[in-house]
Amino acid sequence: MRAAILTAVLLLAGSSTAYAGNYLLSAHGNTTYGVSRTSMPGYSVGNCDNCHEMHASQNGAEPAPVNGAPSPFALFAPNFNTAKTTNPYVLSDDYCFYCHSTTTDGSLQNGGIDNHNFSYTFGGYNASNVTGIFQMFNQASYHNLYDIYQFATGNAGSTTLPFSSFFKPQSNPCDACHNPHIVRANRRHVDNPYYTPLSKPSDHSHLWGDDANETLAALTDMYQPPYYYGSTVTFEPDGTAGTPAQQAAKMPDYISFCTDCHNTTNIIYSTTIQHFDPNTGTVTTGGNLYKIDWFSANGDKHGFRVADSNTTLADPNTASLQAPYNDTSLPVNANGAGFVLSCMDCHEAHGSKNLYLIREEVNGKELVDGLASTLGYNTTISSPNDIWKLCVNCHQVYGGSISQTWYVIHHVNPDAPYKNPTRCIGCHGTFGWTGEDCQYCHFHGGDDSILLTINPSYYTGRRTF
Ligand code: HEC
Ligand code: HEC
Ligand code: HEC
Ligand code: HEC
Ligand code: HEC
Ligand code: HEC
Ligand code: HEC
Ligand code: HEC
C-alpha cells in the first residue's frame, strides 16, 4: 500500500510539467471554476490535490470522503465499483459522481455541479428535471458503466481500439470518453467546439472537436441542425439563426466520436439493451448491440446513405419530412445527395428517461411532436413499441392524427411501400392495428425483411432507417 502511494506521488510530481499547458486550459484546472473540494480548505481552485490525495491525510485526518485505504492513481476515492453491473448508482460507485452531482445529492465540489442534458444545454430544453451527471446515469436508459468498463478492458465484446494504451484495470469508465486532465467546459461556450469535453478512445491523449477539421461542418455539408427548443427560426447548438454550415461548425463531430465505438467492426455487449424479437414477438433484455453503419452508401439512411428519392413523384419530399428538413432547396431531393443526421439529434450521451438514450426533446419540440396532451399520449418511450414518439418530431403528421399518419406513409403516399394492399390480415394480424409495432422494421440497419416470413409478396427490401 505504501509503495502504491509513493509511486503515485512520484508520478504526479514527474508529470505536472507535462500536464501544465493543457491542464490549465481544462475545466478542472481552471483557477476560477475548476476543482475545489469542500473538504480541502486552503487548497487553490484547480489544484491537482482536489482530485489526488498526495498524503491521504490533512492535519492528521483523511479529508472526505473517508475510505481508509489509498486508492489507485492516488485518487481521493476508488475509481469505479466493478461490482455494480446496473444502475441505480450511489456516489461511491464512480469517483466522478462525488463532484458531478448536486449539493442535495451530496456533491463534494463547492456549490455542486449542475450539468444538464445535451437537449437542455445545446437544445434549449430547460424543462427537464434531471440535474447533474449522477442523476443522468440513474434514469431508465443510460450508458451502462460496467459494460463500458468491460468493453474497454477487453473482457466483453471485441474491438481494435487502442484501449490498452490508456485504460487500466483500475480505470474509470467515464474516461473511455473523457480525459479528466484536458476536458473543457463546452457548456460555458455552447457555440465553440474548442471547449469540447471529449476525447475519442482512439486518441485519448487529445481532445476531439477543438480543431477545425473535427467539427460536424468538416465531416459533411449535408448536416441540417435541428430547431432550438420552441423555435422555428433558430437552431442548435446555440439558438441562433445561422446557416446549416455555420451551425455545424459550432459543434464537435459527434458522429465520428460515437462511431469510434458504434461502428461495423466492434462487437459491443449490453446488459440492459431491450431488443424486440420478431420471431417470438417478445422483448429480451441484454445482448450484443446492432452494429451501426453510418458512413457507407449501403448503411443507414439517417446517415450517409441517401433516402429513396424519385424525382418523377408528385411529392418530391419522399421521406415525408417536417421543417427544417422539408426545404426543397436542401439536398434531400437531389439524386445522389441526402441529409446526414448527427447521433445527438436523437440521442443523449449519458442517459434518458426514454429507452435507448432517446432525447426528451427533438427538433424543437417535446416528443410526440409537442402534441402529447392534445393527442392523448404521454411523452415517454418506455418500450420498443413507443419509438414512433420520436419519428413524428421530424416526419410529417398527416390529418392531425397518428394512425392517419402511419396509414398515409405506408399505404397512400406516392412512394408508400405497400400501396393498394390486399390481404390486410397478412400484415395486420401480426402487427396489430394501433400503430405500435414499428420495431419489426425500423431500427439501425433495418429493412422490411420480416415480411419474408409473414407476407413475402409485399417484401420491398427498402431500408427503413
Ligand atoms: C478531476 C480530477 C482530477 C484532476 C484535477 C487531476 N487528475 Fe490526475 N487523474 C484523475 C483520474 C480520474 C485518474 C485516473 C485515470 C483513469 O481512470 O485511468 C488520474 C490519473 C493520473 C495519473 C496517472 C497516470 C495516468 O494518466 O493514467 C497521473 C500521473 C495524474 N493523474 C496526475 C495529475 C496531475 C499532475 C494533475 C494536476 C496537474 C492531475 N492529475 C489532476 C483525476 C484528476
Ligand atoms: C459514451 C461516451 C461517454 C461516457 C461513457 C461518458 N460521457 Fe460525459 N459526455 C459525453 C458526450 C458526448 C458529451 C457532450 C454532450 C453532452 O454534453 O451531453 C459529454 C459531456 C459531459 C459533461 C459536460 C456536460 C455539460 O454540462 O456540458 C460532463 C461533466 C461529463 N460528460 C461527465 C461524465 C461523467 C462523470 C461520466 C461517467 C459517470 C461520463 N461523462 C461518461 C460522452 C460520454
Ligand atoms: C473534485 C471535483 C471533481 C471531480 C472528482 C471531477 N470533476 Fe469534472 N469538473 C469539476 C468542476 C468544478 C468542473 C467545472 C464545472 C463548471 O464548468 O462550472 C468540472 C468539469 C468537467 C467537465 C467539463 C464540463 C463542465 O461541466 O464544465 C467534464 C467533461 C468533466 N468535468 C468530467 C469529469 C470526469 C470524467 C470525472 C471523473 C474522472 C470528473 N470530471 C471528476 C469537478 C470535478
Ligand atoms: C433519427 C434518430 C436517430 C439517430 C440520428 C441515431 N439514432 Fe441511434 N437509435 C435510434 C432509435 C429509434 C433507436 C432504437 C431502435 C434500435 O435499437 O435501433 C436507436 C438505438 C441505438 C442504439 C442501440 C442499438 C441496439 O442494439 O438496440 C445505439 C448503440 C445507437 N442507437 C447509437 C447511435 C449512434 C452511434 C448514432 C450516430 C452514428 C445514432 N444512434 C443515431 C434513433 C437514432
Ligand atoms: C467508449 C465506447 C463508446 C462510445 C464512444 C459510445 N458508446 Fe454507446 N455504448 C457503448 C457500450 C459499451 C454500450 C453498451 C452498454 C449499454 O447498453 O449501456 C453502449 C450502448 C449505447 C446505447 C444503447 C443503450 C441502451 O441500453 O439502450 C446507445 C443508444 C448508445 N450507446 C449511443 C451512443 C452515442 C449516441 C454515442 C456518442 C455520443 C455513444 N454511444 C458513444 C460504448 C460506447
Ligand atoms: C431528427 C429528425 C429525424 C427523426 C427524429 C427521425 N427521422 Fe427519419 N429521416 C430524417 C431525415 C432528415 C431523413 C432524410 C435522410 C436523407 O436525406 O437521406 C429521414 C429519412 C427516413 C427514412 C427514409 C425515407 C426514404 O424515403 O427513403 C425512413 C424510413 C425514416 N427516416 C424513418 C424514421 C423512423 C422510423 C423514425 C423514428 C424511429 C425517424 N425516421 C426519426 C429525419 C428524422
Ligand atoms: C405488407 C404489409 C401490410 C399490408 C398487406 C397492409 N398493411 Fe396496413 N399498414 C402496414 C404497416 C407497416 C403500417 C404502419 C404500422 C402500423 O400503423 O401498424 C400500416 C398501417 C395501416 C393503418 C394505420 C393503423 C394505425 O392505427 O396506425 C391502417 C388503417 C391500415 N394500415 C390499413 C390497412 C388495410 C385496410 C389493409 C388491407 C386493405 C392493409 N392495411 C394492409 C402494413 C400493411
Ligand atoms: C412491415 C415493415 C414496417 C413496419 C412494421 C413499419 N414500417 Fe414504416 N416504413 C416501412 C417501409 C418499407 C418504409 C419506406 C422506406 C422508404 O421510403 O424507402 C417505411 C417508411 C416509414 C417512414 C419514413 C417516411 C416516408 O415517407 O418514407 C416513417 C417515419 C415510418 N415508416 C414510421 C413507421 C412507424 C411510426 C411505424 C409503427 C407505427 C412503422 N413505420 C411501421 C416499413 C415498415
Side-chain angles (χ1 to χ4, degrees), residues 99-183:
C99 291
H100 285 277
S101 42
T102 64
T103 45
T104 320
D105 288 330
S107 176
L108 297 176
Q109 167 73 22
N110 274 303
I113 311 176
D114 291 355
N115 292 114
H116 293 288
N117 283 340
F118 182 89
S119 51
Y120 179 129
T121 305
F122 302 100
Y125 182 63
N126 57 15
S128 170
N129 59 4
V130 227
T131 306
I133 303 289
F134 173 63
Q135 289 183 16
M136 287 176 197
F137 276 91
N138 275 334
Q139 301 181 86
S141 77
Y142 57 105
H143 256 125
N144 181 305
L145 295 171
Y146 176 76
D147 288 341
I148 294 201
Y149 174 86
Q150 291 288 87
F151 178 65
T153 47
N155 293 332
S158 76
T159 179
T160 51
L161 284 165
F163 282 112
S164 60
S165 67
F166 71 92
F167 203 93
K168 316 256 174 358
Q170 303 83 7
S171 282
N172 192 311
C174 310
D175 296 343
C177 294
H178 299 290
N179 182 331
H181 301 117
I182 55 178
V183 285

Side-chain angles (χ1 to χ4, degrees), residues 189-231:
H189 314 265
V190 292
D191 62 351
N192 192 347
Y194 173 79
Y195 292 96
T196 176
L198 303 173
S199 294
K200 287 201 297 187
S202 59
D203 190 17
H204 178 73
S205 56
H206 296 104
L207 288 167
W208 176 251
D210 58 328
D211 293 334
N213 65 354
E214 296 172 356
T215 69
L216 276 177
L219 180 74
T220 172
D221 58 4
M222 298 301 174
Y223 180 66
Q224 165 65 57
Y227 285 135
Y228 203 69
Y229 179 60
S231 174

